[in-house]
Amino acid sequence: MNSPKLTQWGGLAAMLGGLAGMGAGITFNVAAWERAGDALLPAAYLLTAAGLAGFHALQKEYYGRIGRGGFYTATIGSLSAVAATTASFVGRVELDLLHAVGALLLIVGYILYGVATLRARILPAWCGVAFIVVGPVTLFVLGNYSAIGFGAAWLTLGYALWLRRDVPAEQSARVS
């Protein structure tokens, strides 16, 4: 799949992941719907990882090692969180430690990726800032509403990515 198509599909996946995250956050805060939130959370992590692949397809030639490190760290964090939340949902085992490690990897990965996004200058600066603040703010500030904040950020990031179909011609210098 060529890069513009992957970017567009990544934007769509990120928006759907954002909606799933918001849905999970809303249902977590309504006792009768909490089980639905448990089902939506793995989907949110998986779809936002696919969205991150779209961001990677758009920027990979421009952000260097920091961006690649952030991309792989966040992807591993997402997949760890998917495994932990899915296992918990099906009642197999509580993998709280794996979920915590996944969350930590996500935060570190998003911060690195945000810095690289700012340096690459392919997307608006607010996208880089959003990557940097989404993890810490949603985890440490929003508390029980963290999934809603996470989802809202990814819905917005996904829309910005979906609007991008190509890399600007004037952006030809690589960032090391």
Side-chain angles (χ1 to χ4, degrees), residues 1-11 53-62 122 161-162 164-167:
M1 187 178 291
N2 62 10
S3 186
K5 279 250 191 251
L6 186 56
T7 299
Q8 190 173 10
W9 282 107
F55 280 98
H56 178 68
L58 179 66
Q59 301 184 104
K60 67 183 173 188
E61 300 297 323
Y62 304 97
I122 299 289
L161 181 61
W162 184 74
R164 298 298 307 245
R165 307 254 186 335
D166 58 349
V167 177

Side-chain angles (χ1 to χ4, degrees), residues 9 13-14 16 24 42-43 45 66 80 82 93 100-101 103 114 118 120 136 150 155 157-159 164 169-170 172:
W9 282 107
L16 291 172
Y45 284 129
I66 292 174
S80 298
V82 167
V93 64
V101 169
L118 289 170
F150 175 83
L155 180 63
L157 284 165
Y159 184 69
R164 298 298 307 245
E170 67 271 6
S172 59

Side-chain angles (χ1 to χ4, degrees), residues 66-163:
I66 292 174
R68 283 189 299 279
F71 169 71
Y72 292 121
T73 302
T75 301
I76 291 168
S78 288
L79 296 177
S80 298
V82 167
T85 55
T86 301
S88 177
F89 175 70
V90 297
R92 287 289 193 221
V93 64
E94 291 293 326
L95 297 175
D96 291 337
L97 180 61
L98 183 61
H99 194 256
V101 169
L104 179 62
L105 289 173
L106 272 174
I107 291 171
V108 170
Y110 286 162
I111 290 170
L112 290 173
Y113 201 82
V115 169
T117 297
L118 289 170
R119 290 181 63 198
R121 297 184 185 167
I122 299 289
L123 293 162
W126 67 263
C127 289
V129 172
F131 277 118
I132 292 168
V133 301
V134 71
V137 167
T138 58
L139 188 62
F140 299 117
V141 176
L142 297 178
N144 289 342
Y145 299 97
S146 62
I148 297 171
F150 175 83
W154 270 100
L155 180 63
T156 307
L157 284 165
Y159 184 69
L161 181 61
W162 184 74
L163 290 176

